[in-house]
Amino acid sequence: MSAQIDIHADDFGESLHASLDILDCLREGCLDSISVLANMSCFADCVEHYRRAEGEFPQKPLISVHINLMEGSCLAGPGELPDLTDEKGHFCISWEKLFFRSWLPGQRALKEQLKKEILLQIRAVTEAFPELGGKLRLDSHQHTHMIPVVARALFEVLEENGWTAVYIRDAREPLWPFLREVSLYRTYRPVNFVKNILLNYCSVLLQGRLRRADIAPMYLWGLVMSGHMDEERVRKLLPAMERRALGAGRRLEILFHPGHVLPEEISEEFSQADAIAFHVSPDREVEKRAVQRLALAGGRKNEERSDG
């Protein structure tokens, strides 16, 4: 018996070139699912390219709304999200500030701003991809939906609009497979272990909401190796990750960022200066090659995928 595996690409709609890279992977049948963000200026063009290419896909990907509160322009009007954006409507809040504000005074006003933007981004993606119907798949850029105040806002939006989520990413990544593979110790970035621990903590806080929403349990793989999910290390760790997921009765989502943003595509929309190096990094090409060579997609069909 094998664990159910989902080969996933984040950031469709981040830039046109990044989206074309993801479409290459879809044409080759390398991906089970993708996440779509709706608040970059290239969104309409990216959707148009998707429609032109979809007839060439060996299998239709599952599509998730990639809620983006870290970069790009808000879909709400400028000035409507004073705690989240600058005067031009570009997001300017950090992950850390969102996290700490979950427990500070003023969180109710912040939550209302988050709800307004989350609602608009979900609507934008579902209108562009009407095949989603009423069954939503949700995750977020830099996993902000795991932050308590953002999670509260998200679940209130779902309830108030009568929406059903069939999938909400639980960014819980097993740590033991990384620790037991001593030969790889020097290949990890220490900061990514901090991400792993912090998001696992947020996952604990989120479990009650996920159970009440009847969201299937899952593991995510893509935090400790974030930014460099290369073929060699993925192959080396895959058996241990799969055993871990199978033993826990969880689906395993392997997260890649195979879309490469070109330097000339960087504009003021990319409002996180420290993230730009990640977007334009050659490591994204490494991740694209890994996705293309691993040939894992489609080997285990997800229950909610339909042929229609």
Side-chain angles (χ1 to χ4, degrees):
M1 183 180 294
S2 299
Q4 193 172 41
I5 295 178
D6 180 9
I7 307 300
H8 184 91
D10 266 4
D11 294 350
F12 185 88
E14 183 174 48
S15 81
L16 182 56
H17 188 272
S19 301
L20 293 176
D21 279 339
I22 292 172
L23 290 176
D24 287 342
C25 295
L26 288 172
R27 287 190 185 93
E28 296 174 29
C30 301
L31 294 169
D32 294 303
S33 57
I34 64 172
S35 292
V36 178
L37 43 78
N39 70 319
M40 304 298 281
S41 60
C42 64
F43 176 61
D45 285 342
C46 294
V47 173
E48 183 178 348
H49 279 276
Y50 180 95
R51 293 304 179 199
R52 291 176 186 170
E54 65 181 329
E56 304 173 52
F57 302 161
Q59 61 182 24
K60 292 184 179 180
L62 298 170
I63 295 174
S64 300
V65 180
H66 199 50
I67 297 165
N68 187 5
L69 306 170
M70 295 283 97
E71 294 183 288
S73 303
C74 66
L75 299 188
E80 293 187 49
L81 310 178
D83 292 321
L84 300 171
T85 64
D86 62 20
E87 65 280 358
K88 294 182 179 180
H90 297 142
F91 285 103
C92 61
I93 194 167
S94 68
W95 199 100
E96 296 80 6
K97 189 172 183 179
L98 266 180
F99 178 79
F100 286 115
R101 287 199 59 180
S102 294
W103 291 276
L104 294 176
Q107 61 177 277
R108 181 173 298 179
L110 175 63
K111 184 185 69 173
E112 292 305 312
Q113 294 175 47
L114 290 165
K115 287 172 61 177
K116 182 179 296 187
E117 182 64 21
I118 289 170
L119 172 64
L120 292 174
Q121 292 192 19
I122 292 175
R123 281 181 174 167
V125 176
T126 55
E127 288 172 4
F129 295 90
E131 60 266 38
L132 295 179
K135 296 182 178 180
L136 293 176
R137 288 173 51 90
L138 300 160
D139 53 43
S140 62
H141 198 49
Q142 299 183 24
H143 314 293
T144 51
H145 72 287
M146 301 292 294
I147 298 172
V149 67
V150 183
R152 289 195 290 272
L154 172 61
F155 279 89
E156 287 186 18
V157 167
L158 295 177
E159 181 178 359
E160 291 169 6
N161 289 274
W163 286 332
T164 298
V166 297
Y167 157 95
I168 298 175
R169 176 183 289 161
D170 183 1
R172 172 183 292 210
E173 182 179 63
L175 190 56
W176 178 242
F178 300 104
L179 298 179
R180 70 191 298 271
E181 193 60 60
V182 179
S183 65
L184 296 179
Y185 276 17
R186 293 185 179 181
T187 71
Y188 303 133
R189 296 176 61 208
V191 67
N192 287 344
F193 282 98
V194 176
K195 293 179 185 177
N196 174 288
I197 294 168
L198 189 55
L199 285 167
N200 281 345
Y201 169 71
C202 290
S203 173
V204 171
L205 300 180
L206 192 60
Q207 290 309 299
R209 294 183 185 274
L210 294 176
R211 284 194 299 270
R212 289 191 293 273
D214 198 27
I215 301 298
M218 60 165 287
Y219 281 140
L220 179 69
W221 178 9
L223 301 176
V224 170
M225 291 167 54
S226 178
H228 198 93
M229 290 283 288
D230 58 287
E231 180 186 5
E232 180 180 356
R233 290 188 300 171
V234 169
R235 288 194 184 279
K236 183 170 286 190
L237 290 168
L238 181 59
M241 281 291 189
E242 191 167 5
R243 285 194 301 270
R244 189 78 173 185
L246 184 61
R250 292 173 174 265
R251 175 178 300 175
L252 177 63
E253 179 180 311
I254 309 180
L255 171 61
F256 293 90
H257 293 85
H260 184 211
V261 180
L262 299 178
E264 55 266 31
E265 293 180 304
I266 297 297
S267 67
E268 62 181 2
E269 288 184 299
F270 291 86
S271 47
Q272 274 192 338
D274 56 348
I276 291 175
F278 172 64
H279 298 320
V280 303
S281 170
D283 285 340
R284 289 206 169 198
E285 296 175 2
V286 170
E287 297 205 15
K288 181 180 178 182
R289 288 196 298 272
V291 168
Q292 292 170 320
R293 292 173 180 172
L294 285 167
L296 292 171
R300 302 166 182 86
K301 297 298 183 184
N302 294 293
E303 292 177 1
E304 63 266 36
R305 172 176 285 128
S306 68
D307 294 327

